[in-house]
Amino acid sequence: MKAEGLRRIVYPGTFDPVTNGHLDVVGRALQLFDEVVLAIAGDSTKKPLFSLEERKQLAEESLAEFNGRVRVTVFRGLLVDYVRSQGANAILRGLRAVSDFEFEFQMALMNRKLADSIETIFLMPRDTYTYLSSSIIKEIARLGGDTSAFVPPGVQTALHEKFHGGKP
Ligand code: ADP
């Protein structure tokens, strides 16, 4: 298929770090789209645990299982401008619970206001990941808990090194 004919969706977020919930959403999106462009927000006001470079590397490693159908990038500036620059017209977001809804609804409608031709698509992860967030994973890792059911092995190692130094 020609590159410009690809159905492509941009998945923006902080990914600090990437979790099995993110991977689940990406896998579902690949049933609908040819390519997912994971877009790590470089301008975020959040104070991340992992640097942009570390987050990109962990995401790349973790998404290798999708055989080149996921590209990991860093973006700055307005998301809708970035989506256009990637030749896409869709934004992917994960929806876990009602608590995600209000913020996501506001973002999606504001992005539509900024760019009417770009749609936001929400996908729900499998139920075991609905209570999973990068923040809760960092908390478990910090307190010495086992994160192996929730993050890819490379992320588990990186979390352990960050909080406790050395391998798990
Ligand atoms: P952000 O700071 O933009 O919320 P995140 O990296 O926390 O960035 O999340 C990126 C996207 O992935 C968001 O749409 C979020 O709702 C979704 N997401 C995060 N964790 C999960 C999960 N466990 N299951 C499904 N979607 C998730």
Side-chain angles (χ1 to χ4, degrees):
M1 193 183 281
K2 289 206 316 257
E4 58 270 30
L6 289 179
R7 287 171 306 157
R8 189 176 284 140
I9 189 163
V10 175
Y11 186 17
T14 313
F15 303 105
D16 183 42
V18 72
T19 69
N20 290 346
H22 295 126
L23 300 193
D24 182 279
V25 166
V26 166
R28 288 171 201 282
L30 286 174
Q31 294 176 16
L32 305 169
F33 290 82
D34 300 307
E35 187 183 44
V36 171
V37 179
L38 197 95
I40 307 177
D43 278 346
S44 170
T45 50
K46 293 185 180 170
K47 180 119 188 46
L49 173 68
F50 291 101
S51 71
L52 265 179
E53 215 22 74
E54 288 171 326
R55 280 180 278 156
K56 183 163 189 275
Q57 203 192 320
L58 288 172
E60 267 165 1
E61 258 174 55
S62 310
L63 292 158
E65 63 177 272
F66 294 113
N67 303 320
R69 293 181 63 201
V70 184
R71 212 153 26 91
V72 180
T73 64
V74 170
F75 82 102
R76 294 174 198 280
L78 269 184
L79 176 61
V80 289
D81 291 340
Y82 186 70
V83 172
R84 283 201 200 96
S85 78
Q86 293 298 302
N89 61 1
I91 297 168
L92 173 63
R93 295 291 285 176
L95 211 50
R96 285 163 291 191
V98 183
S99 50
D100 278 342
F101 184 76
E102 193 159 337
F103 175 70
E104 294 294 341
F105 185 72
Q106 184 185 18
M107 288 272 290
L109 292 184
M110 183 49 85
N111 280 329
R112 176 182 283 170
K113 196 86 191 155
L114 294 170
D116 193 43
S117 59
I118 296 177
E119 291 298 338
T120 303
I121 294 183
F122 295 98
L123 293 179
M124 288 174 291
R126 70 188 246 211
D127 52 3
T128 40
Y129 298 145
T130 51
Y131 53 86
L132 188 54
S133 68
S134 297
S135 322
I136 205 162
I137 289 303
K138 284 181 276 189
E139 193 61 3
I140 295 171
R142 186 175 69 83
L143 299 170
D146 178 10
T147 57
S148 58
F150 308 115
V151 294
V155 172
Q156 194 193 357
T157 307
L159 280 165
H160 199 274
E161 283 172 359
K162 256 309 164 204
F163 288 117
H164 308 289
K167 312 253 175 249

